[in-house]
mmCIF file of all heavy atoms in Angstrom:
data_model
loop_
_atom_site.group_PDB
_atom_site.id
_atom_site.type_symbol
_atom_site.label_atom_id
_atom_site.label_comp_id
_atom_site.label_asym_id
_atom_site.label_seq_id
_atom_site.Cartn_x
_atom_site.Cartn_y
_atom_site.Cartn_z
ATOM 1 N N ALA A 793 81.544 101.236 90.236
ATOM 2 C CA ALA A 793 81.832 101.058 91.738
ATOM 3 C C ALA A 793 83.057 101.774 92.185
ATOM 4 O O ALA A 793 83.932 101.990 91.371
ATOM 5 C CB ALA A 793 82.040 99.527 91.835
ATOM 6 N N SER A 794 82.961 102.321 93.335
ATOM 7 C CA SER A 794 84.145 102.989 93.939
ATOM 8 C C SER A 794 83.937 103.101 95.399
ATOM 9 O O SER A 794 82.876 103.337 95.918
ATOM 10 C CB SER A 794 84.265 104.389 93.315
ATOM 11 O OG SER A 794 85.237 105.147 94.063
ATOM 12 N N THR A 795 85.026 102.943 96.205
ATOM 13 C CA THR A 795 84.988 103.287 97.641
ATOM 14 C C THR A 795 85.987 104.524 97.876
ATOM 15 O O THR A 795 85.557 105.575 98.211
ATOM 16 C CB THR A 795 85.491 102.096 98.480
ATOM 17 O OG1 THR A 795 84.592 101.077 98.321
ATOM 18 C CG2 THR A 795 85.561 102.509 99.999
ATOM 19 N N ARG A 796 87.277 104.322 97.591
ATOM 20 C CA ARG A 796 88.316 105.327 97.774
ATOM 21 C C ARG A 796 88.088 106.600 97.066
ATOM 22 O O ARG A 796 88.090 107.620 97.663
ATOM 23 C CB ARG A 796 89.693 104.812 97.362
ATOM 24 C CG ARG A 796 90.403 103.987 98.382
ATOM 25 C CD ARG A 796 91.209 102.908 97.542
ATOM 26 N NE ARG A 796 90.199 101.962 97.000
ATOM 27 C CZ ARG A 796 89.708 100.960 97.750
ATOM 28 N NH1 ARG A 796 90.297 100.617 98.828
ATOM 29 N NH2 ARG A 796 88.702 100.224 97.255
ATOM 30 N N THR A 797 87.979 106.500 95.742
ATOM 31 C CA THR A 797 87.997 107.755 94.931
ATOM 32 C C THR A 797 86.818 108.606 95.252
ATOM 33 O O THR A 797 86.941 109.779 95.464
ATOM 34 C CB THR A 797 87.960 107.373 93.395
ATOM 35 O OG1 THR A 797 88.993 106.370 93.240
ATOM 36 C CG2 THR A 797 88.352 108.536 92.552
ATOM 37 N N ARG A 798 85.637 108.027 95.316
ATOM 38 C CA ARG A 798 84.457 108.778 95.632
ATOM 39 C C ARG A 798 84.452 109.388 97.007
ATOM 40 O O ARG A 798 84.249 110.576 97.210
ATOM 41 C CB ARG A 798 83.169 107.858 95.460
ATOM 42 C CG ARG A 798 81.833 108.584 95.535
ATOM 43 C CD ARG A 798 80.681 107.675 95.234
ATOM 44 N NE ARG A 798 80.613 106.454 96.061
ATOM 45 C CZ ARG A 798 80.148 106.376 97.250
ATOM 46 N NH1 ARG A 798 79.631 107.487 97.828
ATOM 47 N NH2 ARG A 798 80.160 105.267 97.914
ATOM 48 N N ARG A 846 83.314 109.304 87.311
ATOM 49 C CA ARG A 846 83.857 108.016 86.965
ATOM 50 C C ARG A 846 82.830 107.413 86.026
ATOM 51 O O ARG A 846 81.692 107.460 86.303
ATOM 52 C CB ARG A 846 84.064 107.155 88.192
ATOM 53 C CG ARG A 846 84.460 105.739 87.747
ATOM 54 C CD ARG A 846 84.860 104.880 88.968
ATOM 55 N NE ARG A 846 86.210 105.259 89.455
ATOM 56 C CZ ARG A 846 86.838 104.583 90.417
ATOM 57 N NH1 ARG A 846 86.301 103.483 90.919
ATOM 58 N NH2 ARG A 846 88.041 104.885 90.771
ATOM 59 N N HIS A 874 93.441 107.218 85.323
ATOM 60 C CA HIS A 874 92.927 107.528 86.687
ATOM 61 C C HIS A 874 93.945 108.522 87.296
ATOM 62 O O HIS A 874 94.787 108.129 88.071
ATOM 63 C CB HIS A 874 92.846 106.211 87.423
ATOM 64 C CG HIS A 874 92.075 106.248 88.749
ATOM 65 N ND1 HIS A 874 91.818 107.477 89.384
ATOM 66 C CD2 HIS A 874 91.587 105.283 89.491
ATOM 67 C CE1 HIS A 874 91.167 107.176 90.508
ATOM 68 N NE2 HIS A 874 90.992 105.841 90.627
ATOM 69 N N GLN A 877 94.677 109.033 91.088
ATOM 70 C CA GLN A 877 95.333 107.834 91.673
ATOM 71 C C GLN A 877 96.836 107.882 91.424
ATOM 72 O O GLN A 877 97.610 107.644 92.404
ATOM 73 C CB GLN A 877 94.691 106.568 91.200
ATOM 74 C CG GLN A 877 95.329 105.348 91.735
ATOM 75 C CD GLN A 877 95.050 105.024 93.163
ATOM 76 O OE1 GLN A 877 93.903 105.227 93.635
ATOM 77 N NE2 GLN A 877 96.004 104.603 93.978
ATOM 78 N N PRO A 1014 96.838 99.974 93.948
ATOM 79 C CA PRO A 1014 95.854 101.065 94.030
ATOM 80 C C PRO A 1014 94.700 100.720 94.872
ATOM 81 O O PRO A 1014 93.960 101.684 95.294
ATOM 82 C CB PRO A 1014 95.482 101.292 92.530
ATOM 83 C CG PRO A 1014 95.769 100.008 91.909
ATOM 84 C CD PRO A 1014 96.962 99.389 92.642
ATOM 85 N N LEU A 1015 94.454 99.447 95.063
ATOM 86 C CA LEU A 1015 93.259 98.937 95.720
ATOM 87 C C LEU A 1015 92.002 99.257 94.919
ATOM 88 O O LEU A 1015 91.968 100.140 94.117
ATOM 89 C CB LEU A 1015 93.122 99.504 97.139
ATOM 90 C CG LEU A 1015 94.281 99.103 98.143
ATOM 91 C CD1 LEU A 1015 93.992 99.631 99.530
ATOM 92 C CD2 LEU A 1015 94.465 97.604 98.221
ATOM 93 N N PRO A 1016 90.854 98.447 95.065
ATOM 94 C CA PRO A 1016 90.743 97.392 95.997
ATOM 95 C C PRO A 1016 91.519 96.131 95.501
ATOM 96 O O PRO A 1016 91.783 95.953 94.328
ATOM 97 C CB PRO A 1016 89.242 97.042 95.873
ATOM 98 C CG PRO A 1016 88.831 97.388 94.446
ATOM 99 C CD PRO A 1016 89.734 98.690 94.145
HETATM 100 N N1 LIG B 2054 91.837 103.109 93.888
HETATM 101 C C1 LIG B 2054 90.536 103.331 93.518
HETATM 102 O O1 LIG B 2054 90.280 103.954 92.517
HETATM 103 O O2 LIG B 2054 89.630 102.813 94.353
HETATM 104 P P1 LIG B 2054 88.063 102.775 94.164
HETATM 105 O O3 LIG B 2054 87.831 101.977 92.930
HETATM 106 O O4 LIG B 2054 87.507 102.120 95.447
HETATM 107 O O5 LIG B 2054 87.646 104.231 94.002
#
Side-chain angles (χ1 to χ4, degrees):
S794 170
T795 296
R796 273 144 292 273
T797 312
R798 186 171 57 81
R846 172 172 286 187
H874 193 344
Q877 176 70 43
L1015 298 182

